[in-house]
Amino acid sequence: MMIGNKKFDLGKKTYVMGILNVTPDSFSDGGKFNNTDKAIEQARKLIADGADIIDIGGESTRPNYAPISENEEIKRVVPIIQLLVREFDIPISIDTYKSNVAEIAIKNGASLINDVWGFKRDRNMAKVAVKYNVPCCIMHNRENAVYNNLMEDIIIDLNESIEIAIEAGVKPENIIIDPGIGFAKNHEENLRVMNELEKIIAMGYSVLLGTSRKSMIGNVLKLPVNERVEGTVATTVIGIMKGCDFVRVHDVLENKRAAMMTDAIIRPRSEI
């Protein structure tokens, strides 16, 4: 898979997506990086710590978040993308469910769409992915968090999103799916999805896992957001062992090290 000018050799290693929230109200690091200097400084740290992609979000997706206008979101993310493109040679992902935001972000240097509504909130999103021939991460989400059969329903929902993408002309090799830990799922459901990730892997697409610092970890460990690194690392290792290709995290250094160690044990190697 090509993301920007970088080749991602899926199956050979795990890739780490570093989170850069330029929002004042993110659940984890709200307000810490929503000015240009701090955002660039954090991006520099994510890259030094081993990030393979930087994921930029301008609107919080935490529970009970306050939606913002397209213009406000664009004003938050575009200056940061422009500066990152100028200073670093790393693929940039735009974390948005709004097609206009995605298109402007791509025009300014982003090369991956990360849509938490799986192309269902804004149907033009798939057209943008096709127009610019960029890969897209399609996440599981739904308005009505009531399931008849949790894993079957998640797979049905994800297949609906994939169908939207394919019908618009997105190449299958440009699709990454995300089981949506923490979205439209309660605590027990999140744990079950983690335990049965192989069912998502079996759908045949690259899989991104996003568990970083989420309430699932906080609930188990009884710890605040800033003390969930070890819990996140545990989910990263399990995700890799189940077959995930990407992990999306705040704490890149710790998760990159855990990913490298896990890869060394479980990924096929040409020489021993």
Side-chain angles (χ1 to χ4, degrees):
M1 176 183 285
M2 293 297 295
I3 305 177
N5 63 358
K6 302 284 185 189
K7 185 171 190 294
F8 286 72
D9 209 354
L10 303 178
K12 298 283 180 68
K13 63 174 280 191
T14 305
Y15 293 96
V16 177
M17 177 184 277
I19 299 168
L20 183 60
N21 285 318
V22 288
T23 61
D25 60 343
S26 163
F27 86 94
S28 174
D29 47 20
K32 283 174 74 175
F33 309 120
N34 66 324
N35 78 49
T36 308
D37 291 342
K38 285 182 180 175
I40 295 299
E41 186 183 324
Q42 176 65 4
R44 192 174 285 117
K45 181 181 188 306
L46 293 173
I47 293 166
D49 286 349
D52 300 292
I53 306 168
I54 292 181
D55 188 48
I56 297 181
E59 178 178 80
S60 175
T61 52
R62 66 182 173 80
N64 306 313
Y65 73 95
I68 59 170
S69 70
E70 277 184 7
N71 286 342
E72 176 63 25
E73 194 173 343
I74 289 162
K75 276 196 289 187
R76 289 179 184 180
V77 300
V78 167
I80 306 297
I81 293 170
Q82 290 171 335
L83 284 166
L84 289 180
V85 168
R86 208 171 303 146
E87 190 166 337
F88 307 108
D89 182 25
I90 188 168
I92 295 163
S93 163
I94 178 65
D95 179 358
T96 187
Y97 56 86
K98 298 167 188 165
S99 61
N100 288 341
V101 176
E103 182 161 20
I104 290 167
I106 292 164
K107 283 180 175 176
N108 281 279
S111 48
L112 172 69
I113 295 169
N114 184 13
D115 183 352
V116 300
W117 279 102
F119 287 3
K120 292 181 181 178
R121 182 61 68 88
D122 182 343
R123 291 300 176 105
N124 285 323
M125 190 66 96
K127 293 175 187 169
V128 171
V130 173
K131 182 177 177 181
Y132 295 95
N133 191 29
V134 294
C136 45
C137 183
I138 296 171
M139 196 189 82
H140 176 261
N141 205 347
R142 53 156 60 188
E143 298 279 1
N144 176 19
V146 177
Y147 301 91
N148 293 317
N149 180 303
L150 179 69
M151 297 307 295
E152 282 181 17
D153 290 353
I154 288 171
I155 288 165
I156 289 166
D157 291 348
L158 279 169
N159 275 322
E160 287 170 359
S161 290
I162 290 164
E163 197 173 311
I164 293 166
I166 300 285
E167 282 184 0
V170 177
K171 299 169 187 168
E173 63 267 26
N174 272 348
I175 295 175
I176 301 165
I177 56 176
D178 177 344
I181 299 290
F183 289 80
K185 299 166 192 70
N186 63 30
H187 178 64
E188 292 302 327
E189 287 164 346
N190 285 317
L191 291 172
R192 184 172 163 205
V193 173
M194 278 297 308
N195 190 36
E196 299 184 34
L197 277 173
E198 63 276 5
K199 293 180 178 176
I200 306 295
I201 308 295
M203 293 176 69
Y205 293 89
S206 298
V207 175
L208 178 144
L209 181 66
T211 57
S212 189
R213 302 182 183 174
K214 286 186 175 173
S215 61
M216 173 184 74
I217 296 163
N219 290 339
V220 170
L221 301 180
K222 304 291 186 287
L223 289 172
V225 163
N226 62 344
E227 291 183 38
R228 298 177 186 172
V229 180
E230 299 90 347
T232 301
V233 166
T235 62
T236 289
V237 171
I238 290 168
I240 295 167
M241 292 182 74
K242 295 278 190 179
C244 295
D245 295 298
F246 300 87
V247 290
R248 179 182 179 275
V249 296
H250 300 86
D251 304 290
V252 168
L253 183 66
E254 296 87 346
N255 284 279
K256 180 79 172 187
R257 288 174 177 172
M260 288 173 69
M261 192 67 231
T262 312
D263 283 349
I265 296 165
I266 70 161
R267 300 279 186 193
R269 283 160 288 164
S270 55
E271 295 176 14
I272 303 271

